[in-house]
């Protein structure tokens, strides 16, 4: 029995590993590079300064086309912004509110409780402005792609000239990490295109890392709390498990030698 | 039985008053206290209790999720993300529910394997087994509809593919599909009725589980030797022996569960389900949740749509006939050296199908699925009926106590072949 159990365990394990891996084998695109993000490890946390730089990259580069509609400005306190900073970012945005007592809609500066603004009124407007392509919302992007963080990092830094013999469609760009290797989005990250508030040099690689850190946090803002709680739960259960097993041994001890 | 108050042994006057009028305490004492249970269970016998716990966790978390969920195509996706972000510990409740579904299937698959390996489906436990298969079918329906609720891409396209299967049935097929959809495509009415049914079915499961447990307490449990207890020396009271042994199992189960929930909550899910449903954009590969992959592979192994659908449903329905397909009088595979190998191969075929179900429907996966499907059914329809007549099995142990304790404790007598005495935990 034991032997078979072991065989099952190995089989089940192999199935669990092979199934996700095989997805890459089927698609026409490259496996993402491993960017070794600190938050990707089992107990990892989000680098606050990186996430804040990522916010800046999102605001100055991505936000032109991509929304972040599930995120509220108040959430920014979680990556270490002060309340004043978060309020200032919110106040930069004009929000349509109302109707007021006269029944009119009106514009007001954003508050902490407001969500991030969507760059286009609707999908049609987005497509019209982007050569028919629809820039997806980034709120849960890191968990909406296989190996999301590494994938987005690889994609952002993966633009290159198409290999000989490959023709790229009209208005498309070559990127080996995208399904089909052609993507409507152009390369948007170039060295030193912006200046980080904390003085870090804005290389394309740095900006990609930072914005992925920011988006990973935005996709799963509960990550750090979840991992901390997980440790406590597992320790609690482990102690309880040892105690329960000892009690079990004691209760069963006399049964081994005598008929009940 | 004469009409009048129940004769209660309970000492506490308040409990006694209740017990005389409604003997719930006497019943609990009889069914979970002194209930005579074979003394030789191994840890495989934890999984019934684990499934029960899992069902309760699913219902508890589900009720809280339903308080915050909006079953409308325009709001469902965002309401789930709102639970993740803004509801107090909503992420915990949702991840427990989501991974709870996977844990439920892991637990129940092991529970079913236990039944297959130790012949728990054989007389007199046929009805007990069939109730179990019914629970499993209800579970599958519930899980499928639950996966539709977040209204992601896989929710939508999984619902489209699976509901469309019913259109394969002649004459009534299209009508069934229209009824399931509440219209002419998967849309808001579909989501509404799936939510309603997803809330209803778990309580139906509770009902059938009650019957499953009631039937179990009539026949008593099977055990790793597959030999019925012959007297008090073969059994021990359920409490404290199995309450504590189940407690150990429950804690180990909770640790695995907690690890999934807290450290890799999305590992068993599909990333596409974090893309809001879009009827105009079909995902490259539509795959069901991992626990449905073997049946999905069977479905796709058959070139004919109706044939595939029938085989897929047949792969579970054949379990109903198992008590009569297996003609061997010997229950436990411990004493069936040939059948044991075929069962191990069957489990292997199940994993192969699971693997192929996750692959695109192209060669070589289709041909592999076909062979695995053929063996899946051959095991039930050819191997088990034939082996019962052909297989030579060693002599069964005289009694559970003798097999467990050995001659030293039980006094002289020959030891049965192939049933050496072993410590309890390693049966």
């Amino acid at each position: 029995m034991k032997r078979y159990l072991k065989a099952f365990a190995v089989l089940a394990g192999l199935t669990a590993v092979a199934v996700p891996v095989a997805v890459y084998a089927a698609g026409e695109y490259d496996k993402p590079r491993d960017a070794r993000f600190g938050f990707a490890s089992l107990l990892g946390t989000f680098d606050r300064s990186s996430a804040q730089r990522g916010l800046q990259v999102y605001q100055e580069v991505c936000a032109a086309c991509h929304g972040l509609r599930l995120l509220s400005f108040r959430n920014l306190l979680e990556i270490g912004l002060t309340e004043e900073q978060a309020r200032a970012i919110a106040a930069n945005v004009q929000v349509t509110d109302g109707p007021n007592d006269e029944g009119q809609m009106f514009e007001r500066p954003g508050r902490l409780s407001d969500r991030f603004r969507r760059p286009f009124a609707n999908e049609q407007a987005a497509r019209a402005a982007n050569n028919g392509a629809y820039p997806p919302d980034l709120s849960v992007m890191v968990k909406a792609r296989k190996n999301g963080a590494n994938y987005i990092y690889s994609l952002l830094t993966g633009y290159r000239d198409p290999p000989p013999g490959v023709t790229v469609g009209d208005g498309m760009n070559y990127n080996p990490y995208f399904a089909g290797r052609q993507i409507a989005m152009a390369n948007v990250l170039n060295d030193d295109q912006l200046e980080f508030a904390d003085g870090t040099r804005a290389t394309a690689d740095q900006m990609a890392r930072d914005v992925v850190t920011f988006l990973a946090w935005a996709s799963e803002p509960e990550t750090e709390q979840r991992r901390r709680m997980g440790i406590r739960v597992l320790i609690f259960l482990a102690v309880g498990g040892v105690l329960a097993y000892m009690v079990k041994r004691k209760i069963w001890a006399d049964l081994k030698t005598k008929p009940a | 039985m004469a009409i009048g108050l129940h004769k209660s042994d309970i000492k506490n006057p308040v409990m006694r008053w209740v017990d005389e009028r409604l003997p719930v305490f006497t019943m609990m004492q009889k069914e979970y206290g002194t209930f005579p249970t074979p003394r030789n269970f191994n840890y495989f016998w934890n999984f019934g209790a684990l499934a029960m716990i899992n069902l309760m966790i699913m219902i508890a978390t589900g009720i809280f999720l339903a308080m915050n969920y909006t079953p409308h195509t325009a709001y469902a996706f965002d309401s789930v993300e709102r639970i993740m972000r803004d509801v107090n510990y909503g992420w915990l409740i949702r991840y427990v529910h989501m991974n709870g579904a996977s844990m439920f299937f892991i637990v129940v698959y092991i529970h079913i394997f236990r039944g297959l390996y130790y012949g728990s489906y054989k007389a007199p436990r046929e009805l007990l087994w069939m109730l179990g298969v019914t629970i499993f079918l209800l579970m599958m329906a519930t899980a499928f509809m639950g996966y539709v609720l977040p209204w992601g891409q896989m929710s939508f396209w999984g619902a489209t593919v699976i509901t469309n299967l019913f259109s394969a049935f002649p004459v009534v097929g299209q009508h069934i599909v229209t009824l399931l959809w509440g219209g002419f495509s998967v849309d808001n009415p579909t989501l509404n009725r799936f939510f309603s049914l997803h809330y209803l079915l778990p309580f139906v499961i509770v009902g059938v589980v009650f019957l499953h447990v009631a039937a179990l307490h009539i026949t008593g449990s099977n055990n790793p030797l597959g030999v019925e207890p012959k007297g008090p020396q073969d059994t021990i009271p359920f409490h404290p022996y199995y309450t504590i042994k189940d407690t150990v199992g429950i804690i180990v189960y909770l640790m695995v569960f907690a690890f999934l929930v807290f450290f890799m909550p999305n590992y068993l899910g599909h990333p596409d389900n974090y893309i809001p449903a879009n009827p105009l954009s079909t995902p490259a590969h539509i795959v069901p949740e991992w626990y449905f992959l073997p049946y999905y592979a069977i479905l796709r192994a058959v070139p004919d749509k109706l044939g595939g659908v029938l085989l897929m449903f047949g792969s579970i329905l054949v379990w109903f006939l198992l008590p009569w397909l297996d003609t061997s009088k010997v229950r436990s595979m411990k004493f069936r050296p040939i059948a044991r190998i075929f069962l191990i191969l069957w489990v292997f075929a199940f994993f192969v199908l699971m693997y192929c179900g996750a692959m695109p429907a192209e060669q070589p996966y289709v041909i592999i699925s076909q062979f695995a499907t053929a063996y899946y059914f051959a095991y039930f329809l050819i191997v088990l009926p034939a082996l019962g007549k052909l297989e030579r099995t060693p002599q069964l142990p005289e009694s559970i106590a003798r097999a467990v304790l050995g001659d030293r404790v039980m006094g002289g007598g020959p030891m049965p072949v192939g049933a050496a005495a072993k410590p309890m935990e390693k049966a």
Side-chain angles (χ1 to χ4, degrees):
Chain A
M1 195 63 222
K2 272 264 165 74
R3 222 155 17 104
Y4 297 124
L5 279 183
K6 222 173 269 171
F8 286 161
V10 170
L11 247 168
L14 281 181
T15 313
V17 172
V19 167
V21 166
V23 174
Y24 294 117
E28 287 85 43
Y29 50 94
D30 290 1
K31 193 175 183 323
R33 281 170 294 141
D34 183 2
R36 303 188 175 279
F37 286 109
F39 59 79
S41 67
L42 224 50
L43 300 176
T45 53
F46 296 109
D47 178 341
R48 295 295 189 278
S49 42
S50 177
Q52 290 180 22
R53 288 194 299 270
L55 168 66
Q56 190 185 341
V57 176
Y58 169 76
Q59 286 181 296
E60 294 185 20
V61 183
C62 319
C65 301
H66 293 276
L68 203 55
R69 68 196 165 88
L70 297 174
L71 213 65
S72 303
F73 293 109
R74 65 183 155 80
N75 296 133
L76 293 176
L77 301 182
E78 295 166 31
I79 52 168
L81 267 66
T82 63
E83 196 172 319
E84 291 72 49
Q85 287 172 316
R87 276 186 199 285
I89 290 173
N92 271 335
V93 174
Q94 288 298 308
V95 176
T96 306
D97 204 344
N100 61 14
D101 293 346
E102 282 86 47
Q104 305 299 316
M105 303 301 282
F106 59 92
E107 299 270 309
R108 61 161 175 79
R111 302 181 192 129
L112 285 182
S113 56
D114 286 317
R115 299 262 173 118
F116 273 63
R117 200 176 56 96
R118 304 163 82 155
F120 301 102
N122 50 51
E123 182 178 339
Q124 286 76 2
R127 285 189 190 277
N130 286 286
N131 199 18
Y134 181 39
D137 187 272
L138 299 179
S139 306
V140 288
M141 190 49 82
V142 172
K143 49 181 185 176
R145 295 290 182 275
K146 192 101 230 159
N147 193 4
N150 287 325
Y151 167 74
I152 298 170
Y153 166 80
S154 301
L155 189 80
L156 287 175
T157 55
Y159 287 90
R160 60 201 59 167
D161 294 331
V166 174
T167 42
V168 176
D170 199 24
M172 301 294 276
N173 305 278
Y174 185 80
N175 192 320
Y177 299 104
F178 193 71
R181 293 202 161 88
Q182 297 194 25
I183 182 169
M185 182 176 122
N187 180 24
V188 288
L189 297 181
N190 300 296
D191 288 350
D192 303 310
Q193 76 185 62
L194 55 81
E195 274 187 34
F196 280 130
D198 66 0
T200 306
R201 191 178 161 226
T203 60
D205 185 80
Q206 185 66 44
M207 288 185 286
R209 282 177 179 280
D210 291 342
V211 80
V212 168
T213 303
F214 172 70
L215 290 176
W217 163 78
S219 290
E220 296 179 286
E222 88 292 347
T223 304
E224 293 179 4
Q225 189 195 4
R226 170 159 54 76
R227 289 170 178 169
R228 275 197 309 272
M229 189 189 285
I231 291 294
R232 288 199 294 255
V233 168
L234 283 180
I235 291 173
F236 175 81
L237 286 173
V239 172
V242 169
L243 289 177
Y245 186 67
M246 277 157 44
V247 174
K248 190 256 163 192
R249 302 267 305 180
K250 182 146 178 62
I251 289 178
W252 279 70
D254 58 338
L255 272 188
K256 293 202 168 172
T257 48
K258 69 162 198 232
Chain B
M1 198 180 87
I3 308 237
L5 290 181
H6 171 74
K7 278 203 177 61
S8 177
D9 298 328
I10 307 279
K11 297 280 179 291
N12 179 304
V14 179
M15 284 165 72
R16 186 187 175 87
W17 186 90
V18 174
D19 203 52
E20 284 169 346
R21 285 151 183 84
L22 183 68
V24 281
F25 298 111
T26 301
M27 191 203 79
M28 283 305 288
Q29 181 61 17
K30 177 165 169 282
E31 304 297 343
Y32 290 98
T34 56
F35 189 66
T37 315
R39 60 188 298 157
N40 59 332
F41 284 178
N42 55 31
Y43 275 102
F44 271 116
W45 264 262
N46 276 351
F47 285 85
L50 295 182
M52 180 75 102
I53 299 274
N54 205 318
L55 177 61
M56 292 192 296
I57 291 175
M58 294 307 277
I59 289 179
T61 50
I63 286 172
F64 285 104
L65 286 178
M67 290 176 190
N68 294 289
Y69 169 77
T70 312
H72 186 288
T73 52
Y75 305 107
F77 186 91
D78 285 6
S79 76
V80 171
E81 274 302 321
R82 196 188 145 269
I83 291 172
M84 296 295 295
R85 288 154 194 271
D86 294 341
V87 173
N88 289 330
Y89 294 102
W91 58 267
L92 178 62
I93 299 170
R94 189 207 165 212
Y95 276 157
V96 167
H97 197 75
M98 183 175 133
N99 287 286
S102 286
M103 287 302 291
F104 208 173
F105 275 92
I106 292 172
V107 164
V108 166
Y109 277 138
I110 296 174
H111 190 59
I112 293 172
F113 169 75
R114 196 279 315 272
L116 291 174
Y117 191 90
Y118 295 109
S120 302
Y121 47 83
K122 292 187 189 182
R125 299 185 182 83
E126 307 96 320
L127 193 57
L128 172 60
W129 167 262
M130 292 163 80
L131 286 166
V133 178
T134 309
I135 295 170
F136 184 64
L137 285 171
L138 287 167
M139 252 180 81
M140 293 174 84
T142 310
F144 162 66
M145 287 189 278
Y147 192 57
V148 175
L149 302 185
W151 210 243
Q153 273 291 67
M154 280 298 159
S155 299
F156 179 88
W157 290 99
T160 303
V161 170
I162 302 300
T163 49
N164 254 317
L165 295 180
F166 290 90
S167 71
F169 293 113
V171 188
V172 290
Q174 200 52 52
H175 297 286
I176 296 176
V177 175
T178 307
L179 200 67
L180 285 171
W181 285 347
F184 301 100
S185 68
V186 175
D187 207 332
N188 200 44
T190 324
L191 181 60
N192 277 225
R193 61 192 57 199
F194 276 21
F195 178 53
S196 172
L197 291 172
H198 183 70
Y199 206 114
L200 169 70
L201 285 186
F203 296 98
V204 178
I205 294 179
V206 169
V208 186
V209 165
F210 180 82
L211 296 178
H212 189 66
V213 173
L216 171 73
H217 281 235
I218 298 296
T219 62
S221 298
N222 185 30
N223 65 77
L225 293 172
V227 177
E228 292 292 333
K230 295 189 174 70
Q233 76 282 4
D234 289 341
T235 62
I236 46 179
F238 189 82
H239 180 76
Y241 295 106
Y242 286 117
T243 41
I244 187 65
K245 194 162 181 170
D246 280 346
T247 305
V248 174
I250 286 166
I251 292 179
V252 173
Y253 149 86
L254 285 177
M255 288 183 80
V256 176
F257 197 166
F259 187 80
L260 270 180
V261 166
F262 291 107
F263 296 104
M264 40 201 320
N266 290 310
Y267 177 72
L268 292 169
H270 196 294
D272 276 17
N273 225 30
Y274 283 111
I275 304 171
N278 181 356
L280 299 177
S281 153
T282 318
H285 303 291
I286 302 174
V287 282
E289 288 277 80
W290 68 267
Y291 37 79
F292 290 143
L293 290 174
Y295 319 107
Y296 195 52
I298 291 175
L299 170 77
R300 296 190 305 179
V302 186
D304 174 62
K305 186 176 175 185
L306 179 59
V309 171
L310 289 177
L311 269 201
M312 186 184 72
F313 287 120
S315 66
I316 306 292
L317 295 179
V318 71
W319 295 358
F320 278 113
L321 303 175
L322 182 56
W324 296 277
L325 289 171
D326 187 348
T327 49
S328 173
K329 290 274 178 285
V330 179
R331 288 205 190 95
S332 177
M333 290 286 177
K334 215 177 155 111
F335 304 110
R336 300 188 63 189
I338 314 276
R340 184 166 60 208
I341 293 165
F342 281 104
L343 175 59
I344 301 301
L345 278 175
W346 182 84
V347 174
F348 181 70
F350 189 82
F351 278 116
V352 167
L353 285 169
M354 189 180 279
Y355 177 80
C356 290
M359 295 295 118
E362 57 196 37
Q363 299 300 357
Y365 305 114
V366 174
I367 186 85
I368 296 173
S369 303
Q370 286 166 345
F371 275 108
T373 304
Y375 181 73
Y376 181 105
F377 283 98
Y379 174 76
F380 293 116
L381 301 176
I382 300 169
V383 174
L384 283 182
L387 265 189
K389 313 265 187 261
L390 301 173
E391 191 178 27
R392 293 176 67 88
T393 52
Q395 198 194 350
L396 295 179
E398 211 176 287
S399 75
I400 295 173
R402 189 168 291 280
V404 167
L405 297 168
D407 295 335
R408 195 173 52 78
V409 179
M410 298 300 291
M415 272 303 293
V417 185
K422 284 180 184 173
M424 290 266 153
E425 285 81 5
K426 297 181 182 148

